[in-house]
Amino acid sequence: QVQVVESGGTLVQAGGSLRLSCAVSGNIRSIKTMGWYRQAPGKQRDLVAAITSGGSTNYADSVKGRFAISRDNAKNTVYLQMDSLRPEDSAVYYCNTEVKLLRDWRTLAYWGQGTQVTVSS
């Protein structure tokens, strides 16, 4: 079993900054890709940023130059630094991780419960 816990979401003014954290724990052999997704009410869940075990990153066009994803492999934690926030960034932000379990050949994806980010105009 794997636990994925996000933190750091809050209300922030437009132009401000936030840093989200996602800690992964459980019966894990290794963690592959880690990523952040977001979902606003009535909309689909979309990729914001992802980072591989080797450090390669991918960003949605809407956040390039404003957000930065990073990971601390020793802590099994991924971060999302969000700068120059806009009202359209408001959403529930979800952490996703692809994990190899200790006693399973499969690579499985796990989701956190999400953390709310609200950007006021």
Side-chain angles (χ1 to χ4, degrees):
Q1 191 63 43
V2 173
Q3 294 79 46
V4 181
V5 180
E6 305 102 328
S7 62
T10 189
L11 173 66
V12 63
Q13 294 182 356
S17 297
L18 283 176
R19 189 190 192 213
L20 306 183
S21 299
C22 171
V24 182
S25 61
N27 198 19
I28 295 168
R29 181 185 301 277
S30 62
I31 300 177
K32 302 297 184 181
T33 301
M34 306 178 79
W36 289 95
Y37 293 71
R38 66 187 181 189
Q39 186 170 26
K43 299 181 180 179
Q44 67 180 10
R45 187 176 299 185
D46 293 324
L47 175 70
V48 177
I51 184 168
T52 69
S53 59
S56 297
T57 58
N58 185 41
Y59 295 93
D61 288 341
S62 60
V63 307
K64 287 179 180 177
R66 300 188 297 121
F67 292 8
I69 189 170
S70 62
R71 63 192 285 171
D72 185 337
N73 291 328
K75 296 181 179 179
N76 287 342
T77 299
V78 63
Y79 306 95
L80 185 67
Q81 178 66 44
M82 304 186 294
D83 298 325
S84 302
L85 283 163
R86 305 165 181 169
E88 54 263 40
D89 294 319
S90 297
V92 177
Y93 283 70
Y94 296 92
C95 181
N96 176 268
T97 183
E98 296 179 333
V99 171
K100 280 280 191 183
L101 302 178
L102 285 175
R103 300 184 300 277
D104 201 322
W105 62 271
R106 296 172 292 175
T107 298
L108 300 175
Y110 293 88
W111 292 93
Q113 292 299 305
T115 184
Q116 177 72 52
V117 173
T118 303
V119 184
S120 62
S121 60

